[in-house]
Amino acid sequence: MTSHTAWPSAPGRLAAIAQARRTSIRVAIRAVDPLVVSGLHAMLRSTFDIDLVVDGEEADVTVAVTDDSGLYDLLSNITASRLVLIADNLRHGELLAAIEHGLIVLVPRREVTTKTRLLQAISDACEGRGDLPAQQLGAVLEGMKQLQEITLGPRDLKLSGLSPREIEVFRLLADGLDTGEIAEKLMYSERTVKSVLHGLMSRLGLRNRAHAVAYALRHGLI
């Protein structure tokens, strides 16, 4: 090994450090028991691609640990980020509450016996790769089915939050049709099409038609 390889120049070292900082995952730790927080900090502190942060708003991923009580209080103190929850025996309502607070990965406490498992959960959450135990996944799918049947279906909405008519307008807009052509295609009045577009753009915070098409593509609606 040459001295150049073993001891890179100062600019080279700075570039490597900067690159490591750019690719590190900012992680916030939350738990009811402060000893658990200290233990997880100690476990992760020496990991080069993990940057521990105190402010949850700065975190890419929040790791939260709860016992049989106190989950709702714990979740109430978690700001928006992707959530890794370490917990056992979640009730259906608790699972839904965790999902509302950004749950991506749920890990049973017995599985977090090694640093490797925790790092995998953090990496999965950061990349948006969901991971739920089979029992909880079944509960989520059943909950989605009930949501569609009881709440969305009677209002002519899909799980996307859009009606079939709104999705069809999105698709025709992406095909390059103007409001008059869309109205003719769907046999609506042009006023109705303009009303649908206005409602979509206001509700979804879209700036113009190009933005609307980009949104539909990004969310797999067309």
Side-chain angles (χ1 to χ4, degrees):
M1 181 181 295
T2 66
S3 60
H4 177 74
T5 303
W7 303 103
S9 64
R13 290 200 302 275
L14 291 174
I17 292 170
Q19 179 65 26
R21 286 177 177 170
R22 284 195 295 272
T23 59
S24 64
I25 303 173
R26 294 168 297 182
V27 177
I29 307 295
R30 299 289 184 267
V32 175
D33 186 346
L35 291 178
V36 172
V37 175
S38 298
L40 290 177
H41 271 271
M43 179 185 290
L44 296 174
R45 189 174 293 120
S46 60
T47 306
F48 79 94
D49 54 353
I50 296 294
D51 182 12
L52 294 170
V53 297
V54 175
D55 188 347
E57 293 185 357
E58 297 179 355
D60 300 311
V61 175
T62 296
V63 176
V65 185
T66 185
D67 50 22
D68 294 334
S69 62
L71 175 62
Y72 291 110
D73 288 339
L74 185 64
L75 291 176
S76 68
N77 293 318
I78 292 176
T79 52
S81 72
R82 295 179 173 182
L83 175 63
V84 173
L85 181 61
I86 301 171
D88 292 322
N89 304 318
L90 288 185
R91 295 185 291 272
H92 186 65
E94 292 173 329
L95 179 61
L96 295 181
I99 290 172
E100 290 174 354
H101 283 79
L103 177 66
I104 300 291
V105 178
L106 175 61
V107 185
R109 293 173 68 98
R110 65 180 179 277
E111 291 187 14
V112 191
T113 56
T114 65
K115 182 177 178 179
T116 300
R117 179 65 182 96
L118 181 57
L119 290 176
Q120 182 62 57
I122 292 171
S123 176
D124 286 344
C126 187
E127 296 296 325
R129 295 189 295 267
D131 185 4
L132 298 178
Q135 181 179 358
Q136 278 74 23
L137 179 59
V140 170
L141 294 175
E142 180 61 28
M144 292 175 66
K145 179 173 179 289
Q146 293 178 5
L147 176 65
Q148 179 63 47
E149 293 177 348
I150 298 172
T151 304
L152 299 179
R155 294 168 173 80
D156 197 30
L157 295 175
K158 300 296 185 182
L159 285 170
S160 64
L162 305 179
S163 70
R165 181 171 67 174
E166 290 173 329
I167 292 174
E168 193 60 31
V169 168
F170 257 147
R171 288 172 177 162
L172 294 175
L173 195 65
D175 287 339
L177 277 65
D178 61 26
T179 54
E181 293 168 325
I182 293 173
E184 183 179 355
K185 186 83 171 178
L186 298 179
M187 292 184 292
Y188 296 148
S189 70
E190 188 170 357
R191 181 177 179 179
T192 296
V193 173
K194 288 181 178 179
S195 177
V196 170
L197 278 173
H198 177 74
L200 278 170
M201 295 175 77
S202 297
R203 192 167 78 245
L204 301 176
L206 304 173
R207 296 185 298 275
N208 50 48
R209 295 184 183 187
H211 190 193
V213 171
Y215 176 93
L217 289 169
R218 192 162 55 244
H219 290 81
L221 301 176
I222 57 177

